Amino acid sequence: IFLFVSNLVTIGLNVLSNEEVVKIVDSTSVRSLAAKAVVDAAMKLWKLKSSFVKRDDCAVVCLFLD
């Protein structure tokens, strides 16, 4: 079980919904790679959707509660 406090993956425009983030984290077999998987997915979509911005920041925090 994990808690995703807020959708931090906006990168100037919403590229991932909270539901999409949950699916990505849930499908990651190694917990320590969950945040990286979300960032990678967000960056991929951001590059497809945003041709006008060349660089931006992205931060993801996944907190797992056992």
Side-chain angles (χ1 to χ4, degrees), residues 34-57:
K36 182 178 181 340
V38 174
V39 169
D40 290 346
M43 293 300 293
K44 182 178 178 180
L45 286 172
W46 173 66
K47 287 178 182 178
L48 291 173
K49 291 182 176 183
S50 176
S51 61
F52 59 91
V53 178
K54 300 295 182 194
R55 184 178 173 147
D56 206 338
D57 296 329

Side-chain angles (χ1 to χ4, degrees), residues 5-66:
V5 177
S6 176
N7 188 343
L8 301 175
V9 189
T10 57
I11 316 177
L13 51 107
N14 279 332
V15 293
L16 292 174
S17 68
N18 284 336
E19 291 79 15
E20 290 170 315
V21 171
V22 168
K23 287 179 185 177
I24 293 167
V25 172
D26 190 43
S27 69
T28 306
S29 58
V30 180
R31 286 183 171 186
S32 61
L33 298 177
K36 182 178 181 340
V38 174
V39 169
D40 290 346
M43 293 300 293
K44 182 178 178 180
L45 286 172
W46 173 66
K47 287 178 182 178
L48 291 173
K49 291 182 176 183
S50 176
S51 61
F52 59 91
V53 178
K54 300 295 182 194
R55 184 178 173 147
D56 206 338
D57 296 329
C58 182
V60 175
V61 176
C62 296
L63 175 62
F64 292 87
L65 306 175
D66 292 322

